């Protein structure tokens, strides 16, 4: 595995060191802001808010699929 050193400077730097085989949700040029959230899935009939980050985002999407299948 190739690991590029983080840029020197101020602020937060995120390095993913491992990743299980999961679907890619965002493109490689997606912009993220510290302290901001992204809505991955939304509809007019939503009745629940499911939140996830990192691997738990995949779990949250699975939970949303399960709830939708049950008609919730």
């Amino acid at each position: 595995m190739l690991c590029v050193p983080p840029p020197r400077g101020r602020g937060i730097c995120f390095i993913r060191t491992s990743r299980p085989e999961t679907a890619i949700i965002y493109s490689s040029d997606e912009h993220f802001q510290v302290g901001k959230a992204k809505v991955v899935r939304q509809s007019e009939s939503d009745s629940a808010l499911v939140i996830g980050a990192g691997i738990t985002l995949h779990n949250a999407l699975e939970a949303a699929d399960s709830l939708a299948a049950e008609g919730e």
Side-chain angles (χ1 to χ4, degrees):
M1 170 204 243
L2 175 65
C3 185
V4 178
R8 296 187 188 270
R10 303 174 83 174
I12 295 173
C13 178
F14 173 81
I15 298 175
R16 182 186 348 236
T17 57
S18 66
R19 176 183 177 165
E21 291 186 30
T22 54
I24 295 173
I25 297 174
Y26 301 106
S27 67
S28 61
D29 61 347
E30 184 77 26
H31 178 72
F32 294 92
Q33 281 186 278
V34 174
K36 300 290 183 179
K38 293 207 178 256
V39 177
V40 177
R41 190 181 297 169
Q42 182 176 10
S43 76
E44 291 294 323
S45 61
D46 287 348
S47 60
L49 171 65
V50 182
I51 300 173
I55 188 63
T56 63
L57 176 55
H58 294 277
N59 301 125
L61 291 171
E62 288 177 15
D65 290 340
S66 294
L67 289 170
E70 293 175 13
E72 299 292 327

